[in-house]
């Protein structure tokens, strides 16, 4: 039996107390003191003990995130001196896209390497903007995919980054006449990059590169961020070069398996030169996810590029426009454009920006992506709070601007990716799909609120009376 791809996880506790959701308000003056049934000792998560240690060490007055809000202390205190409230700091975490609960989930996954279980079912809104208006059809589970979830069958999460030939030609003696291009497969539809909007330094790049190597995936890097420390990981790095940099960075191109060229006029000529010099290199063309992206993708599909990489903003929105479309609509537009010109099977599509959860990876693939990149999520795995201090040149509250233990940080990133891979396998299993490549563009396994509203709710309830999505 061939070896299965499996990500080994190891618990990696946070270095700092994460900002917790709940805070306890304790009316101390009402404490009976001698009731001898103090609920503080009964907290199964030891929150009060940890709080005392935390305070006595004179650490920052942050609320601990481990309170599970079970309400035991509130219900069982003989004098009812406790009440639970939302930590005011929690409300300031993240932004409208990278919400506080997402950060909590990502922290948990990086800590434990497991899928967070909420226990009491889904309590979120029925529908929301972005990926929240798209649901995966989880009713297609079949015996092999159910067993795939439990590891008794394969569910393959591999994707290719190399170009494909769709038709083979043979010589008269039945030898292969078609030039088969170099093949590059990665075990997950997930690559790494850091967003220029936040902190990029060697302290975080090194563990990311280490994790990319261990996981068998790849990481995008700009030449100015490359340090000698990263050279052992060259095979897992994708240098992102402009047209002019490509001519000056030959050693970087030589040492990598994949190179990304920023789209620019005449980029096809640079691509042909690199292809001629290094026929085995995988060439990616990077470009903004804007209005021109669908048409440009159709042109570049004929240029011989292996993969097209589209950059949305950090919230997954189209760039360079006042009325941006979200990633899912943009992926669909590009995917369908390539289908219409008969090029989709030959080339791969990769999308960056706004991938905040494992389900976003699966939903992006359903829309038509081959793979996506994790960016802010990787920094969040290293305890980033998205406070934006680094943008203002102020020191980082979780010290990501200082040297950190690379093996601990690598461990946290691996844990996060392991949790995402488990979720992808669960989703694919429930959708009855055993190959990530088969999921690509498979919109039949999803439901879109906009379509349901138009086809079902509209005829029943008429025109929408309050503004909503779209
Ligand atoms: S609510 Fe539950 S978990 Fe939180 S402090 Fe009270 S007893 Fe502990
Ligand atoms: S915690 Fe704040 S300062 Fe540190 S990396 Fe994240 S956004 Fe930047």
């Amino acid at each position: 039996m061939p070896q299965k791809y499996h990500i080994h996880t190891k618990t990696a506790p946070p270095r700092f107390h994460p900002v917790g959701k709940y805070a306890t308000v304790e009316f101390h003056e009402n404490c009976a003191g001698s009731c001898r049934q103090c609920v503080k000792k009964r907290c199964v998560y030891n929150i009060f003990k940890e709080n005392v240690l935390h305070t006595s060490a004179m650490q920052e007055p942050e609320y601990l995130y481990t309170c599970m809000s079970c309400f035991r202390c509130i219900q069982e205190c003989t004098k009812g001196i406790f009440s639970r409230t939302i930590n005011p700091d929690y409300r300031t975490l993240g932004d409208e896209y990278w919400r506080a609960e997402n950060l909590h989930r990502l922290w948990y996954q990086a800590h434990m390497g497991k899928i967070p279980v909420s226990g009491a079912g889904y309590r979120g809104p029925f529908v929301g903007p972005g990926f929240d208006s798209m649901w995966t059809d989880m009713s297609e589970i079949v015996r092999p995919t159910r067993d795939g979830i439990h590891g008794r069958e394969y569910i393959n999460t591999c994707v290719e980054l190399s170009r494909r030939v769709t038709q083979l030609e043979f010589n008269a003696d039945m030898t292969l006449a078609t030039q088969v291009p170099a093949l590059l497969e990665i075990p997950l539809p997930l690559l790494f990059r850091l967003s220029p909007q936040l902190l990029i330094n060697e302290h975080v790049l090194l563990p990311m590169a280490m994790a990319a190597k261990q996981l068998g995936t790849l990481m995008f890097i700009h030449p100015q961020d490359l340090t000698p420390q990263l050279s052992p990981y060259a095979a897992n790095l994708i240098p992102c070069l402009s047209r002019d940099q490509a001519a000056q960075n030959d050693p970087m191109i030589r040492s990598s398996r994949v190179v990304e060229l920023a789209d620019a006029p005449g980029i096809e000529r640079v691509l042909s030169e690199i292809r001629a010099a290094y026929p085995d290199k995988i060439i990616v063309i990077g470009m903004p996810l804007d209005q021109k992206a669908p048409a440009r993708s159709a042109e570049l599909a004929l240029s011989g590029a292996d993969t097209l990489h589209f950059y949305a903003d950090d919230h997954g929105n189209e760039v360079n426009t006042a009325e941006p479309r979200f990633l899912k609509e943009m992926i669909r537009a590009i995917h369908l454009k390539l289908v219409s010109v008969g090029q989709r099977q030959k080339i791969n599509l990769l999308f960056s920006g706004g991938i905040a959860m494992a389900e976003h990876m699966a939903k992006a693939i359903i829309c038509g992506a081959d793979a996506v990149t994790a960016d802010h999520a990787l920094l969040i795995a290293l305890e980033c709070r998205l406070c934006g201090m680094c943008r203002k040149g102020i020191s980082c509250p979780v010290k990501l601007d200082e040297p950190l233990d690379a093996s601990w940080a690598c461990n946290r990133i691996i844990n996060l990716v392991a949790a995402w891979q488990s979720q992808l396998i669960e989703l694919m299993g429930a959708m009855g799909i055993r190959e990530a490549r088969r999921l690509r563009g498979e919109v039949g396994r999803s439901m879109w609120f906009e379509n349901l509203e138009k086809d079902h709710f509209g005829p029943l309830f008429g025109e929408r009376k309050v503004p909503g999505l779209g």
Side-chain angles (χ1 to χ4, degrees):
M1 209 171 168
Q3 206 189 352
K4 271 192 206 147
Y5 179 73
H6 179 70
I7 303 174
H8 295 278
T9 59
K10 195 169 83 194
T11 308
R15 298 181 303 161
F16 296 87
H17 287 297
V19 178
K21 180 169 183 182
Y22 298 104
T24 317
V25 178
E26 191 179 331
F27 297 96
H28 218 73
E29 58 275 26
N30 292 348
C31 176
S34 57
C35 76
R36 294 183 176 275
Q37 291 171 28
C38 186
V39 286
K40 289 185 178 179
K41 291 180 191 153
R42 285 195 234 144
C43 171
V44 287
Y45 302 103
N46 270 335
I47 302 299
F48 295 99
K49 192 172 160 201
E50 281 191 36
N51 264 333
V52 169
L53 294 174
H54 182 56
T55 318
S56 56
M58 296 181 73
Q59 289 167 351
E60 280 180 78
E62 288 162 353
Y63 300 99
L64 308 184
Y65 89 126
T66 36
C67 171
M68 297 294 165
S69 199
C70 70
F71 284 81
R72 182 176 186 180
C73 53
I74 293 147
Q75 288 177 327
E76 292 187 7
C77 176
T78 54
K79 288 287 179 183
I81 69 163
F82 293 103
S83 57
R84 211 106 275 249
T85 179
I86 301 282
N87 175 7
D89 283 350
Y90 177 83
R91 295 184 196 277
T92 65
L93 269 186
D95 54 34
E96 75 279 7
Y97 186 84
W98 293 86
R99 296 192 300 265
E101 62 262 31
N102 288 12
L103 267 68
H104 263 218
R105 260 183 237 130
L106 294 171
W107 285 338
Y108 176 87
Q109 292 169 50
H111 178 171
M112 308 298 288
K114 292 183 194 160
I115 307 172
V117 179
S118 57
Y122 176 70
R123 278 170 280 177
F126 174 64
V127 66
F131 281 121
D132 289 345
S133 65
M134 177 185 174
W135 303 290
T136 52
D137 181 355
M138 310 286 267
S139 64
E140 302 282 340
I141 193 162
V142 288
R143 203 279 307 157
T145 59
R146 182 206 62 198
D147 284 1
I149 296 170
H150 300 291
R152 295 187 292 270
E153 289 271 4
Y154 292 112
I155 292 189
N156 187 348
T157 54
C158 284
V159 291
E160 284 149 24
L161 292 181
S162 47
R163 200 173 171 80
R164 285 173 290 274
V165 280
T166 48
Q167 208 172 348
L168 294 178
E169 285 170 13
F170 294 89
N171 299 314
D173 61 356
M174 290 313 284
T175 53
L176 196 60
T178 311
Q179 275 280 343
V180 181
L183 182 79
L184 179 67
E185 209 176 52
I186 53 170
L188 291 165
L190 187 72
L191 292 90
F192 295 170
R193 82 180 254 270
L194 278 182
S195 163
Q197 298 303 320
L198 291 180
L199 169 137
I200 301 182
N201 62 31
E202 60 183 5
H203 313 312
V204 293
L205 285 169
L206 177 64
M208 278 173 59
M210 289 162 67
K213 186 173 180 178
Q214 284 191 42
L215 294 164
T217 187
L218 299 155
M219 176 172 104
F220 289 92
I221 190 158
H222 288 275
Q224 66 271 21
D225 300 324
L226 200 70
T227 58
Q229 271 184 312
L230 292 170
S231 42
Y233 307 97
N236 293 84
L237 301 181
I238 306 179
C240 302
L241 306 172
S242 66
R243 192 182 47 187
D244 300 335
Q245 284 171 329
Q248 299 150 9
N249 284 281
D250 196 53
M252 229 177 151
I253 298 175
R254 214 176 315 127
S255 59
S256 324
R257 288 183 289 168
V258 186
V259 59
E260 176 171 302
L261 301 172
D263 188 24
I267 201 68
E268 292 90 339
R269 185 182 49 78
V270 183
L271 187 150
S272 312
E273 285 167 8
I274 297 178
R275 179 74 81 219
Y278 304 105
D280 288 348
K281 296 285 170 214
I282 305 301
I283 303 178
V284 179
I285 305 274
M287 71 194 88
L289 186 69
D290 60 13
Q291 211 181 359
K292 295 187 219 131
R296 187 67 182 136
S297 65
E299 288 167 15
L300 287 170
L302 302 170
S303 69
D306 294 275
T307 296
L308 302 178
H309 182 185
F310 300 90
Y311 290 85
D313 71 10
D314 292 335
H315 290 183
N317 288 322
E318 181 184 2
V319 295
N320 306 330
T321 173
E323 288 187 8
R325 287 169 286 174
F326 186 66
L327 201 52
K328 71 185 203 306
E329 282 78 29
M330 290 303 291
I331 297 175
R332 215 65 213 114
I334 295 167
H335 171 77
L336 291 176
K337 179 72 187 177
L338 290 173
V339 170
S340 72
V341 296
Q343 295 295 314
R344 184 63 188 96
Q345 281 296 7
K346 298 179 185 162
I347 199 156
N348 306 295
L349 300 178
L350 174 64
F351 292 85
S352 282
I355 302 298
M357 297 160 80
E359 67 175 65
H360 294 174
M361 173 169 64
K363 287 178 176 176
I365 297 172
I366 290 174
C367 292
D370 288 275
V372 292
T373 69
D375 39 41
H376 282 4
L378 300 174
L379 270 192
I380 295 168
L382 305 182
E383 301 180 89
C384 171
R385 298 171 181 182
L386 295 189
C387 66
M389 297 290 191
C390 47
R391 243 179 268 150
K392 299 176 195 152
I394 302 170
S395 63
C396 171
V398 290
K399 300 201 184 328
L400 292 179
D401 48 0
E402 294 178 18
L404 71 160
D405 178 353
S407 60
W408 167 85
C410 169
N411 188 178
R412 298 260 308 180
I413 293 170
I414 289 176
N415 283 353
L416 177 77
V417 175
W420 282 26
Q421 195 224 9
S422 304
Q423 289 170 81
L424 179 63
I425 288 177
E426 287 232 3
L427 271 165
M428 285 168 56
M431 286 188 273
I433 287 188
R434 292 178 65 184
E435 270 265 358
R437 282 174 280 216
R438 278 272 297 107
L439 190 62
R440 187 187 73 197
E442 187 61 84
V443 279
R445 302 292 162 104
S446 67
M447 290 164 283
W448 295 44
F449 176 72
E450 297 86 346
N451 298 341
L452 293 176
E453 189 180 49
K454 194 163 105 226
D455 298 341
H456 303 289
F457 303 142
L460 285 175
F461 302 110
E463 287 278 300
R464 199 192 264 168
K465 294 180 186 61
V466 287
L469 297 172

